[in-house]
Amino acid sequence: MAQNFAHGNYSHTQRKARNGGGGRTPKDRARRTLSQNFLADRHALDLMVKAAAPEGLVLEPGAGEGVLTFALADAGARVVGYEIDPMLAGRLAARTRSDPRISVVRGDFTAARAPREPFAVVGNIPYSITSKIVDWCLRAPELTSATLLTQREYARKRSGDYGRWSLVTVESWPWFHWRLGDTIGRESFRPVPSVDSAILRVQRRPEALVHGRRSYQELVELGFGGVGGSVRASLKTRYQGVDAALEAAGVARDAVVAHVHPDQWIILWERLCG
């Protein structure tokens, strides 16, 4: 069944498509503007469903033509698919009108209110709004997990696969575990994008690793602030006992912030703030 979703803010979409079109059809230009690359490989689809292990309520950003939507429903989920393209939303709504497992919302996922019951997010999401969707997920109190098909580079950065850690991951680490899943090659999409994708799994922990959200995030944000070029220099501007805390966490005195593992940040918080 379909639902109206009267949010007019589409500012997250890419605006790189040239007016002239270069021979592209209106459909081609719409796909480029909305960053649409549809999953067209059965094996890749199976990998997504396996990683998500869907059950209960699942929200799907960018439902598109419904390939993943139906796969999630077939796996046992109750799916609410969000689609900002009115043509695709209308088609998917028509196809699922008599299917009680699936609802289609015509509008912007990132403008939606989060459900008040436990739910997961699963989606082949537009590259252009990956960060916005991830931020939405991290703010949702009842989110249990997010299984997202993103640019491979993004997934590697957020999961620490380069041996470096980002502020987003470290700041949310006490509440969410980040994991890099299977790589999905660019040939699995239509139209074919210029880069490969990967499955990024963000799962809420059953219990938080720290009990002081504000003090932990203030510590991390100061560390990532870049004062003095090292974690030690940044933290010493506010905290006492930094050298002892660094030693307890196994962090070198000259370590740059990106090389400090999230688990080490937990120890630093325990020693400096806990």
Side-chain angles (χ1 to χ4, degrees), residues 149-165:
L149 193 51
T150 74
Q151 280 190 359
R152 186 167 183 265
E153 181 182 9
Y154 179 92
R156 293 188 67 190
K157 284 181 178 179
R158 292 293 178 261
S159 60
D161 193 55
Y162 287 115
R164 301 188 300 273
W165 298 90

Side-chain angles (χ1 to χ4, degrees), residues 6-267:
H7 292 282
N9 178 15
Y10 294 178
S11 61
H12 65 271
T13 56
Q14 293 182 355
R15 301 300 183 189
K16 297 181 181 179
R18 293 186 293 270
N19 291 334
R24 298 189 183 95
T25 66
K27 182 183 294 186
D28 292 334
R29 290 194 293 273
R31 286 180 176 177
R32 183 177 178 86
T33 300
L34 297 174
S35 189
Q36 293 173 332
N37 298 95
F38 303 116
L39 198 56
D41 178 74
R42 182 70 209 187
H43 179 63
L45 183 65
D46 290 342
L47 290 176
M48 273 292 289
V49 174
K50 181 180 179 180
E55 60 180 5
L57 177 60
V58 172
L59 273 54
E60 181 193 5
E65 297 175 334
V67 173
L68 180 58
T69 314
F70 284 102
L72 293 170
D74 289 343
R78 175 166 54 94
V79 187
V80 180
Y82 289 79
E83 178 51 57
I84 201 170
D85 185 324
M87 181 179 67
L88 288 175
R91 288 179 178 175
L92 185 57
R95 292 176 61 198
T96 60
R97 187 170 292 118
S98 61
D99 192 332
R101 306 171 304 169
I102 299 171
S103 299
V104 178
V105 177
R106 305 178 186 183
D108 183 352
F109 170 80
T110 63
R113 291 185 180 89
R116 296 183 179 180
E117 63 180 285
F119 72 98
V121 171
V122 184
N124 168 30
I125 62 177
Y127 290 160
S128 60
I129 56 167
T130 298
S131 293
K132 194 171 182 180
I133 290 174
V134 169
D135 289 344
W136 187 98
C137 291
L138 295 178
R139 291 195 306 268
E142 296 296 331
L143 178 87
T144 58
S145 66
T147 306
L148 307 173
L149 193 51
T150 74
Q151 280 190 359
R152 186 167 183 265
E153 181 182 9
Y154 179 92
R156 293 188 67 190
K157 284 181 178 179
R158 292 293 178 261
S159 60
D161 193 55
Y162 287 115
R164 301 188 300 273
W165 298 90
S166 69
L167 172 60
V168 171
T169 307
V170 173
E171 197 168 33
S172 62
W173 190 260
W175 300 275
F176 293 95
H177 180 260
W178 298 67
R179 183 175 65 83
L180 176 65
D182 291 291
T183 295
I184 306 297
R186 66 196 73 183
E187 69 279 357
S188 295
F189 300 87
R190 297 294 181 272
V192 178
S194 59
V195 296
D196 293 332
S197 295
I199 299 172
L200 178 64
R201 173 82 170 172
V202 185
Q203 187 162 9
R204 187 180 295 276
R205 300 182 187 278
E207 294 186 9
L209 301 180
V210 305
H211 59 75
R213 180 183 293 269
R214 178 175 295 182
S215 61
Y216 175 81
Q217 292 181 341
E218 287 177 349
L219 174 75
V220 171
E221 288 169 4
L222 179 64
F224 274 82
V227 178
S230 69
V231 175
R232 178 176 182 268
S234 296
L235 297 185
K236 284 179 75 70
T237 63
R238 184 181 303 177
Y239 299 96
Q240 300 294 322
V242 170
D243 287 341
L246 291 172
E247 183 177 359
V251 178
R253 290 165 64 93
D254 61 348
V256 295
V257 66
H259 293 161
V260 180
H261 191 282
D263 288 337
Q264 293 175 307
W265 279 103
I266 302 298
I267 299 174

